[in-house]
Amino acid sequence: MHLRRTTALTAASLLLAVPMLSSCGFNYATDRPYTPAAGTNNRDGSVDVLGAVIVSAQDDSGTFIASLSNNDQQKSVDFESISGAGDSSLKFQDFPPRTIDPGAALNLSQDGGVPVTGTFTAGDVVAVSISLSNGERVNMDVPVVADDGYFAGFDTSGSSSSSAQPSGSSSPSSSASPSSSPSSSASPSSSPSE
């Protein structure tokens, strides 16, 4: 009698445990790609956009950097343009298309990135839209990070903002790049020296 009861209890507990154990078998978090970094990743299209950030040394200007990886092993793809998405006030500097060879990657941080202006500060997240020559458009939310620590020196917008946007030049940006402004280089030489 005890053997029958023990067998029945064991069988009943196994039947109750099967649904709980089978529900844990798929789509583990550890099976999904994850890169611990400050940047945003998008792997939805034929070109992966990895580690996308806007590096900003001062409010309202910065430089977009990311790695663009061409998953097509046969055809090259051009990174044609980038713009603000939605109701974003972002304005990116124009650039000639940058080719991403088949199966290769383009690292914008080594290429100077893409200078951008708008209303943002470090810590914000902004919407951008990347256009590729194969007709794909990659929309993503990109964090704005400070130009220090790991990202120190990646913001090139200060050196190119005076030539890209003459109407927005102010005294802090002209003093930040004295070699590119003839009027600011004239003032140090006219100072009295003894």
Side-chain angles (χ1 to χ4, degrees):
M1 182 82 164
H2 293 292
L3 182 60
R4 235 186 233 183
R5 184 178 294 170
T6 305
T7 306
L9 286 173
T10 303
S13 64
L14 284 175
L15 284 173
L16 290 173
V18 167
M20 290 191 306
L21 293 175
S22 67
S23 67
C24 298
F26 302 102
N27 202 20
Y28 292 116
T30 55
D31 288 342
R32 287 179 251 145
Y34 174 69
T35 306
T40 302
N41 299 327
N42 183 304
R43 293 182 174 92
D44 293 339
S46 64
V47 173
D48 294 342
V49 180
L50 307 172
V53 294
I54 293 177
V55 182
S56 177
Q58 61 186 9
D59 290 351
D60 303 330
S61 74
T63 302
F64 174 82
I65 59 171
S67 291
L68 296 112
S69 176
N70 186 359
N71 294 317
D72 191 330
Q73 301 298 317
Q74 306 299 322
K75 296 179 183 177
S76 62
V77 178
D78 288 345
F79 168 44
E80 292 184 329
S81 66
I82 183 170
S83 61
D87 58 351
S88 173
S89 65
L90 300 179
K91 291 185 178 31
F92 289 85
Q93 185 179 38
D94 290 336
F95 58 90
R98 299 175 186 175
T99 302
I100 311 164
D101 293 327
L106 169 67
N107 187 342
L108 295 176
S109 66
Q110 296 174 348
D111 201 12
V114 181
V116 57
T117 59
T119 305
F120 58 85
T121 186
D124 289 349
V125 176
V126 296
V128 302
S129 182
I130 297 171
S131 296
L132 304 168
S133 63
N134 62 3
E136 291 182 13
R137 185 174 284 278
V138 180
N139 295 317
M140 56 193 311
D141 294 328
V142 176
V144 180
V145 297
D147 185 19
D148 65 355
Y150 179 78
F151 295 104
F154 286 115
D155 184 7
T156 60
S157 65
S159 61
S160 63
S161 64
S162 61
S163 63
Q165 302 160 32
S167 62
S169 62
S170 62
S171 58
S173 64
S174 62
S175 65
S177 56
S179 61
S180 65
S181 172
S183 61
S184 62
S185 62
S187 58
S189 62
S190 62
S191 63
S193 59
E194 296 176 28

